[in-house]
Amino acid sequence: MKLDSYWNDALPLWPAGATGGARSLPDKVDVAIVGGGFTGLSAALALARKGARVVVLEAGPTVAPEASGRNGGHVNNGLAVDYADVAAKVGVEKARAWYHAYDDAVNTVARLVQQESIDCDFLRHGKLKLATRPYQMDALQRSVERLVADGVDTDVEVLSAERVRAEVQSERFHGGLLYKRSAQMHMGRFAHGLAQAAERQGATICTNTCVNRLERVQGQVHRLHTAQGVVTAQQVLLATGASRHGSYGSFGWLRRRIVPIGSFIVVTEPLGAERAQALLRERRTYTTIANIHHYFRLTADHRLVFGGRARFAISSPQSDAASGEILRAGLAETFPQLGPVRLDYCWGGLVDMTQDRLPQAGERDGLFYSMGYSGHGTQMSVHMGERMAEVMAGNVAANPWQGRHWPAIPGHFGPPWFLPAVGLYFRLKDRLA
């Protein structure tokens, strides 16, 4: 079992798979982007198309080494929290706009895959949110009724237990909610395709280039002190999410507002086409309803990707291996017919969780930022890269998350020491529900 992401395995380190050769750090640019995940790569492509001189500074050895390349492979629409709860807090108009931003985000991914001819197994088969307890079906029905009544989404449908079992070979589920606009793709190949597209437009992507310190010159102009030298940028976009690179001195304000939570994933050996098709007939993305939930899907080579919040801990080789055994048990409980199936991959990643589980994007002290996707980032990060390129060009209204209050998380000043207690709290909530 490899303790590495399936999406990044067998992909070349950047830039070996593109035009070859190490990228030299430019002295001056129009825009410097900190972070080479989906937000940074998408922004680089959009800004380069506008004629800007752009450099992407990535601390890791390749593009998308963190959350963008270490997730479950889902490209889902719908909010990370219940729409009705959001509408009660901020009003129907704003909640509806935020919900539609996720529809737009999936469309953005689909458009880029087509425009740039990115070979990443993109499929739009929908997402099925699965009820593991009977009472959850009432909540799903109320959710659909509210989405339709507010004119938010008519491409949703509640499926009975019988209909779910007809496509999901498991006795665990009592029904589900189908979101028909959701999709899936191979994350590693999409990242490389996006990076290649950005460089074709003239952007420079520098890996192994950790930004250690930001120095504000005036206005939006900053000097970025990196492991490879100093670059001066007229504008800077922070697209780092929950990255553990860099200093708290330069990024402390943001990091006190994001909790990095580990999410862990295992991938089975190839099951074969017939066995995989019987397991998940419609080949959608699937997620269960719980605070500590599971999510799963099939790959193009007929493997099962099975993930979840196995442990409230930060990813490390030891943590990943321990979490893999917990996920092995969850996999056996969900699909006992697989028997002692071999697990070929196991890895963990960081989810950059905000207090309300909604994204944050804007400008502060001359720095632009977009992050806090809270486990729903694969589509929104790509979308927000494009949106922030518009914002940085002067169109502030292009940001669907503009003006959101972003308070610090009480007691959070560095590494999240409180995660084990949070895990116990959520497990108790799931048991008592």
Side-chain angles (χ1 to χ4, degrees):
M1 185 171 69
K2 292 184 179 179
L3 295 179
D4 197 9
S5 169
Y6 166 79
W7 310 121
N8 289 333
D9 190 39
L11 286 175
L13 295 181
W14 187 264
T19 56
R23 304 290 189 260
S24 59
L25 189 69
D27 295 328
K28 295 181 180 179
V29 293
D30 297 318
V31 181
I33 299 172
V34 184
F38 290 164
T39 302
L41 296 175
S42 176
L45 174 57
L47 288 162
R49 280 176 174 163
K50 293 177 180 293
R53 294 171 300 160
V54 184
V55 64
V56 177
L57 307 173
E58 169 53 54
T62 188
V63 294
E66 299 289 345
S68 296
R70 304 184 69 81
N71 53 70
H74 298 208
V75 185
N76 292 333
N77 72 313
L79 296 168
V81 288
D82 186 66
Y83 162 79
D85 291 341
V86 177
K89 293 177 182 177
V90 302
V92 169
E93 184 178 354
K94 187 171 288 187
R96 183 193 294 120
W98 289 348
Y99 188 100
H100 287 163
Y102 279 91
D103 293 339
D104 295 339
V106 180
N107 291 339
T108 295
V109 175
R111 172 174 47 78
L112 285 171
V113 168
Q114 184 177 29
Q115 282 181 344
E116 302 300 336
S117 301
I118 301 175
D119 178 16
C120 61
D121 303 324
F122 183 84
L123 296 174
R124 202 160 189 176
H125 288 183
K127 171 185 77 171
L128 191 52
K129 192 173 184 179
L130 296 163
T132 55
R133 299 187 182 184
Y135 80 89
Q136 294 169 342
M137 290 301 295
D138 291 336
L140 292 182
Q141 186 62 51
R142 289 194 301 270
S143 180
V144 167
E145 290 171 357
R146 182 66 187 273
L147 288 170
V148 174
D150 287 356
V152 177
D153 195 345
T154 57
D155 283 340
V156 287
E157 181 183 1
V158 173
L159 304 188
S160 66
E162 291 73 24
R163 289 186 63 186
V164 167
R165 287 174 190 145
E167 71 164 274
V168 180
Q169 197 178 50
S170 176
E171 297 299 315
R172 283 201 66 202
F173 308 119
H174 299 273
L177 174 54
L178 176 60
Y179 294 80
K180 300 178 184 179
R181 301 173 188 168
S182 294
Q184 58 188 276
M185 64 182 174
H186 189 293
M187 296 297 167
R189 295 213 297 268
F190 176 76
H192 272 247
L194 199 58
Q196 289 169 330
E199 290 213 328
R200 283 196 299 269
Q201 295 294 326
T204 300
I205 300 172
C206 297
T207 54
N208 292 310
T209 307
C210 180
V211 176
N212 299 313
R213 184 165 62 92
L214 291 167
E215 177 190 358
R216 190 176 187 179
V217 179
Q218 64 176 39
Q220 296 175 353
V221 181
H222 284 76
R223 292 191 189 96
L224 296 92
H225 297 258
T226 81
Q228 309 303 325
V230 179
V231 57
T232 301
Q234 298 300 305
Q235 292 179 311
V236 176
L237 173 63
L238 298 180
T240 55
S243 170
R244 287 167 284 183
H245 298 291
S247 70
Y248 268 85
S250 293
F251 305 107
W253 187 90
L254 294 169
R255 290 185 172 177
R256 286 192 295 273
R257 287 153 174 80
I258 290 177
V259 176
I261 293 179
S263 193
F264 303 89
I265 298 169
V266 293
V267 177
T268 70
E269 63 184 313
L271 303 176
E274 184 176 348
R275 195 180 183 194
Q277 191 71 12
L279 195 71
L280 298 173
R281 188 189 69 191
E282 300 299 328
R283 302 183 83 100
R284 310 188 202 274
T285 60
Y286 302 86
T287 180
T288 63
I289 301 173
N291 290 294
I292 301 178
H293 64 282
H294 290 128
Y295 49 88
F296 47 93
R297 53 156 289 194
L298 294 171
T299 65
D301 59 349
H302 313 300
R303 301 173 185 267
L304 179 64
V305 181
F306 191 88
R309 310 283 188 265
R311 299 168 67 246
F312 274 69
I314 299 298
S315 174
S316 68
Q318 296 77 16
S319 183
D320 292 356
S323 299
E325 293 308 311
I326 296 173
L327 289 173
R328 188 193 298 272
L331 176 61
E333 182 183 6
T334 306
F335 300 110
Q337 68 271 32
L338 291 180
V341 64
R342 189 181 76 233
L343 301 181
D344 284 350
Y345 298 87
C346 172
W347 73 89
L350 293 178
V351 175
D352 52 343
M353 198 77 71
T354 60
Q355 203 165 20
D356 62 5
R357 297 184 63 194
L358 293 171
Q360 290 283 352
E363 180 187 0
R364 181 182 182 274
D365 293 340
L367 290 172
F368 295 92
Y369 61 88
S370 182
M371 56 189 70
Y373 303 122
S374 302
H376 275 52
T378 57
Q379 65 288 337
M380 187 53 68
S381 57
V382 178
H383 185 61
M384 286 307 299
E386 285 197 349
R387 295 293 84 205
M388 291 309 293
E390 291 295 317
V391 171
M392 296 168 78
N395 182 13
V396 177
N399 178 9
W401 309 102
Q402 64 174 315
R404 291 201 340 103
H405 182 52
W406 197 4
I409 297 171
H412 180 37
F413 300 101
W417 55 269
F418 45 79
L419 284 186
V422 172
L424 288 174
Y425 168 72
F426 282 131
R427 286 188 178 90
L428 181 61
K429 283 189 69 175
D430 284 340
R431 289 195 186 102
L432 296 177

